[in-house]
């Protein structure tokens, strides 16, 4: 019997000013107070929102995530925010390796490996994103790509540390495009990921790992996606920006 958690995590990306973000977090907190939901709920906010959002949400209902952290511990790195600083706000999670960070900010597997280590060292739970671009899927390389992303950034971790990580499979061609992977495509990849984890860390660690799906997940498709045995929830971009759109995804569990 696995102990893995179902999780719905929002990724606000670079949206909402501070006041708007606080208002959204409060509204979601109120909505969750009234319901008994069957998954953990996380919101990933910009850095500047973290401390304020942590302040207004009930940590029993909502976990707070940063969307990135530095690959260095501290020092002369102008403009960067360290994992220790994120942790000091009360945030418990950090999204790492999002495809937008990989593509637009040139985050390599090696850089991401450092970020994962620093996140873990500071008590943060990484939500680690993996996923192929369209050409890789079309040419049949998607399994290989996803496995090598895990190998390069995560598979040097001891099992105990790996066990703290939440994975998010996000096919890049489905992010923000309105094209969702079919439930069958999601299940196929999630089962492949879990098999790779079994090979590396054994059945217990693999069975306990939460593997989220991300990519144009919404109220209309969440239930079908989440009903797959290896899909343990979602990482939600666009649809996490309003309670009206986000709540039905949470309630899909
Ligand atoms: C994401 O960026 O993690 C994501 C899944 O975005 P969207 O839901 O907007 O496709």
């Amino acid at each position: 019997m696995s102990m893995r958690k179902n999780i719905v995590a929002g990724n606000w990306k670079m949206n909402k000013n501070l006041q708007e973000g606080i208002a959204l977090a409060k509204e979601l907190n109120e909505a969750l107070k009234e319901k008994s939901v069957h998954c953990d709920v996380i919101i990933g906010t910009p850095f500047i929102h973290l401390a304020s959002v942590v302040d207004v949400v009930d940590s029993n209902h909502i976990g707070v995530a940063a969307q990135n952290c530095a690959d260095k511990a501290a020092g002369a790195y102008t403009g960067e925010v360290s994992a220790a600083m994120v942790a000091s706000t009360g945030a418990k999670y950090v999204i790492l390796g999002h495809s937008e960070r990989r593509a637009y900010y040139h985050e390599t597997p090696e850089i991401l490996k450092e970020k994962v280590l620093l996140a873990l060292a500071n008590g943060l739970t990484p939500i680690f994103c993996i996923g192929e671009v369209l050409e890789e899927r079309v040419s049949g390389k998607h399994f290989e790509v996803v496995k090598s992303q895990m190998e390069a950034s995560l598979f040097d971790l001891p099992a105990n540390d790996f066990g703290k990580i939440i994975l998010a499979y996000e096919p890049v061609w489905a992010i923000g495009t309105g094209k969702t992977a079919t439930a069958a495509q999601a299940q196929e990849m999630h089962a492949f990921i879990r098999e790779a984890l079994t090979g590396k860390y054994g059945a217990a660690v693999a069975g306990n790992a939460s593997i989220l799906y991300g990519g144009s997940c919404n109220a209309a498709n969440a239930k079908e996606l989440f009903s797959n045995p290896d899909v343990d929830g979602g990482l939600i971009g666009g649809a996490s920006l309003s309670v009206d759109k986000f709540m039905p995804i949470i309630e899909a569990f």
Side-chain angles (χ1 to χ4, degrees), residues 7-16 21-22 24-25 28 40-51 53-54 57 62-68 86 89 91-96 98 100 125 127 129 212 234-241 246:
I7 299 166
V8 172
N11 173 13
W12 292 1
K13 310 194 184 187
M14 195 172 73
N15 294 294
K16 306 285 180 193
I22 292 170
L24 174 57
L28 182 66
D40 286 4
V41 176
I42 298 169
I43 50 179
T45 83
F47 289 130
I48 65 137
H49 299 57
L50 290 172
V53 165
V54 164
V57 300
I62 300 176
V64 179
Q67 299 170 15
N68 182 27
V86 170
T89 68
K92 301 287 185 218
Y93 302 86
V94 58
I95 299 169
L96 291 174
H98 192 282
E100 289 152 16
T125 298
I127 302 173
C129 305
L212 315 185
L235 181 55
I236 318 298
S240 70
L241 292 172
F246 197 43

Side-chain angles (χ1 to χ4, degrees), residues 72-245:
K72 303 287 194 302
Y77 301 102
T78 302
E80 288 293 291
V81 175
S82 71
M85 292 172 188
V86 170
S88 74
T89 68
K92 301 287 185 218
Y93 302 86
V94 58
I95 299 169
L96 291 174
H98 192 282
S99 60
E100 289 152 16
R101 301 287 325 164
R102 291 179 193 259
Y104 308 150
Y105 301 96
H106 315 294
E107 295 194 1
T108 63
E110 296 71 35
I111 290 172
L112 292 171
K113 189 172 165 176
E114 295 305 312
K115 294 188 177 199
V116 168
L117 290 173
L118 286 162
L120 290 169
N122 285 282
L124 295 170
T125 298
I127 302 173
F128 193 82
C129 305
I130 50 183
E132 80 284 357
V133 299
L134 186 60
E135 305 88 82
E136 291 162 342
R137 176 158 286 261
V138 170
S139 60
K141 295 207 176 84
H142 43 302
F143 294 118
E144 188 187 312
V145 165
V146 163
K147 188 166 184 196
S148 71
Q149 287 172 337
M150 293 192 291
E151 283 169 347
S153 300
L154 303 177
F155 278 10
D156 286 340
L157 293 171
N160 183 43
D161 280 340
F162 184 86
K164 296 172 187 159
I165 289 179
I166 298 167
L167 287 170
Y169 169 58
E170 301 206 301
V172 179
W173 46 271
I175 296 178
T177 59
K179 278 187 211 152
T180 317
T182 63
Q185 284 173 323
Q187 169 56 27
E188 182 187 36
M189 181 60 86
H190 284 225
F192 170 82
I193 292 167
R194 207 175 303 282
E195 199 179 290
L197 302 187
T198 305
K200 172 69 189 168
Y201 290 110
V205 169
N208 286 335
S210 292
I211 308 174
L212 315 185
Y213 168 80
S216 299
C217 186
N218 58 40
N221 58 32
K223 230 186 188 103
E224 195 189 350
L225 285 161
F226 298 171
S227 66
N228 289 285
D230 289 297
V231 179
D232 307 308
L235 181 55
I236 318 298
S240 70
L241 292 172
S242 81
V243 172
D244 284 356
K245 292 192 172 135

